[in-house]
Amino acid sequence: MNVIALEGCTPEPLLFYLKSLGLLRLLAEQRDAAARSCWRQGIFWIRTSLDRSELLRFLIDEYQPTPLVACWNGGSGFYKTDRQEGIQAIEQSSTPRL
């Protein structure tokens, strides 16, 4: 197991805290179910089977965004009068991650 310090992920402000938890969730769901984390001296640490370069490669090349549709937003495609640009861009994309 590798222990990687992520200096840009801190417990404050709240946005950085949430970023840290989101990163751990994605890593555990999509690549390394055994990943663990903690904060030490204001820095987020991840224990994972990936080394730093593999973690970066996962985030750049393999990470798949969590599916999200906000049906109350115009453009979601749920209503006839919705803007369609956003949903059409996703539908027409050849990117496997979308």
Side-chain angles (χ1 to χ4, degrees):
M1 295 298 265
N2 298 296
V3 180
I4 303 169
L6 301 174
E7 292 85 4
C9 296
T10 58
E12 291 181 343
L14 179 60
L15 183 61
F16 288 15
Y17 175 85
L18 296 174
K19 171 179 64 171
S20 305
L21 295 181
L23 176 63
L24 175 63
R25 180 185 66 85
L26 292 170
L27 179 61
E29 285 179 356
Q30 297 182 18
R31 187 66 193 276
D32 181 6
R36 299 293 182 261
S37 67
C38 68
W39 274 276
R40 282 191 216 132
Q41 299 177 339
I43 296 174
F44 191 65
W45 294 78
I46 289 188
R47 186 178 62 131
T48 177
S49 60
L50 282 65
D51 63 25
R52 183 175 284 275
S53 64
E54 291 170 323
L55 178 61
L56 289 173
R57 193 171 23 262
F58 162 71
L59 292 171
I60 293 169
D61 298 327
E62 299 173 30
Y63 150 71
Q64 295 182 10
T66 302
L68 174 70
V69 175
C71 58
W72 54 86
N73 288 340
S76 65
F78 285 97
Y79 301 100
K80 193 177 355 178
T81 58
D82 281 353
R83 293 185 312 274
Q84 298 294 311
E85 296 86 9
I87 196 83
Q88 288 172 350
I90 292 170
E91 288 174 341
Q92 295 169 1
S93 174
S94 61
T95 304
R97 294 172 15 162
L98 298 177

